[in-house]
Amino acid sequence: DAKTTQPPSMDCAEGRAANLPCNHSTISGNEYVYWYRQIHSQGPQYIIHGLKNNETNEMASLIITEDRKSSTLILPHATLRDTAVYYCIVRFNAGNNRKLIWGLGTSLAVNP
Amino acid sequence: SAVISQKPSRDICQRGTSLTIQCQVDSQVTMMFWYRQQPGQSLTLIATANQGSEATYESGFVIDKFPISRPNLTFSTLTVSNMSPEDSSIYLCSVSVVGGSSSGANVLTFGAGSRLTVL
């Protein structure tokens, strides 16, 4: 599974959109982009995933560039409870979890 | 998605002792995993818990140090043996069901973790 690059930290004002970038320049054609987050003292939580098209669910939106070498997770109206570490991972859907690379993610601080 | 109960949630242990962490899932799952998250670090896969056979360990982790049981499709344990302060970490149980969600995603679901401090 390909490696990803994320900024180590970001700040966002409460109520504003939080845009978290991720670079995955070595992504292959069949690899999906997954996003998880880890709130302090909890296990990681799945947010959203996508292959080529932009995706939206009740938690967030995922924008994937046309060349698929980068993506952005958007939290449209960030709240204090969105303060967490956000992990971007690329993987084959039927891929082996043994090959997943969890980087250090982006630590998002939502400020009042 | 599956709901995972993990216990203990935290413990403080003495050097040289062993601690067993339990992971209970509310449904039968094929794939169960144990991760370690050291302070300030990301997740590292320890092993895949296989039902009815020995766990599959990742490089740097051995069965004598981290014995794992998987007696059925809903339960697993991880033991941290002969602990030292370097074993102070959060240990996380996780399950994966390919196509287990309506979107067909391969989603990992995690327990809340067991925070272990070794003195």
Side-chain angles (χ1 to χ4, degrees):
Chain A
D1 295 323
K3 187 177 178 179
T4 62
T5 303
Q6 300 176 253
S9 63
M10 293 183 63
D11 286 284
C12 177
E14 188 177 19
R16 297 283 193 161
N19 299 295
L20 293 93
C22 178
N23 288 322
H24 29 79
S25 58
T26 61
I27 192 171
S28 66
N30 295 326
E31 286 185 305
Y32 287 70
V33 180
Y34 278 75
W35 283 83
Y36 287 79
R37 73 178 182 184
Q38 187 174 22
I39 296 171
H40 183 62
S41 297
Q42 298 182 23
Q45 174 193 25
Y46 165 79
I47 300 172
I48 197 168
H49 80 293
L51 181 63
K52 298 179 182 178
N53 300 322
N54 298 335
E55 303 287 345
T56 295
N57 63 20
E58 64 278 5
M59 292 183 68
S61 294
L62 174 61
I63 308 298
I64 302 174
T65 58
E66 191 169 347
D67 64 7
R68 303 209 322 121
K69 293 185 176 182
S70 65
S71 60
T72 301
L73 179 75
I74 300 173
L75 307 178
H77 306 286
T79 70
L80 299 179
R81 286 180 292 183
D82 291 322
T83 293
V85 177
Y86 288 78
Y87 298 98
C88 169
I89 300 168
V90 294
R91 66 168 305 162
F92 296 103
N93 235 19
N96 191 332
N97 288 316
R98 300 178 65 188
K99 296 182 179 179
L100 284 185
I101 300 173
W102 294 79
L104 291 175
T106 296
S107 179
L108 175 69
V110 180
N111 304 309
Chain B
S1 61
V3 176
I4 299 174
S5 300
Q6 196 175 329
K7 58 181 180 182
S9 58
R10 59 178 62 234
D11 207 341
I12 299 173
C13 302
Q14 297 298 317
R15 183 195 299 258
T17 63
S18 298
L19 178 74
T20 296
I21 302 166
Q22 298 181 6
C23 177
Q24 178 73 54
V25 189
D26 68 342
S27 59
Q28 293 186 342
V29 293
T30 305
M31 308 293 286
M32 292 183 75
F33 308 94
W34 287 99
Y35 285 84
R36 181 175 74 180
Q37 187 172 29
Q38 294 177 302
Q41 301 298 311
S42 190
L43 280 72
T44 301
L45 181 63
I46 297 172
T48 302
N50 301 309
Q51 195 269 328
S53 65
E54 194 171 282
T56 304
Y57 290 85
E58 299 304 310
S59 176
F61 298 95
V62 295
I63 188 171
D64 289 346
K65 176 67 175 177
F66 298 101
I68 289 171
S69 77
R70 178 92 190 268
N72 55 53
L73 292 176
T74 65
F75 186 78
S76 178
T77 67
L78 168 75
T79 299
V80 186
S81 302
N82 188 25
M83 289 183 286
S84 66
E86 292 72 33
D87 294 320
S88 298
S89 289
I90 298 172
Y91 293 86
L92 293 151
C93 172
S94 175
V95 302
S96 170
V97 180
V98 177
S101 69
S102 59
S103 65
N106 186 342
V107 174
L108 284 172
T109 302
F110 289 84
S114 300
R115 183 181 294 271
L116 178 60
T117 302
V118 185
L119 303 177

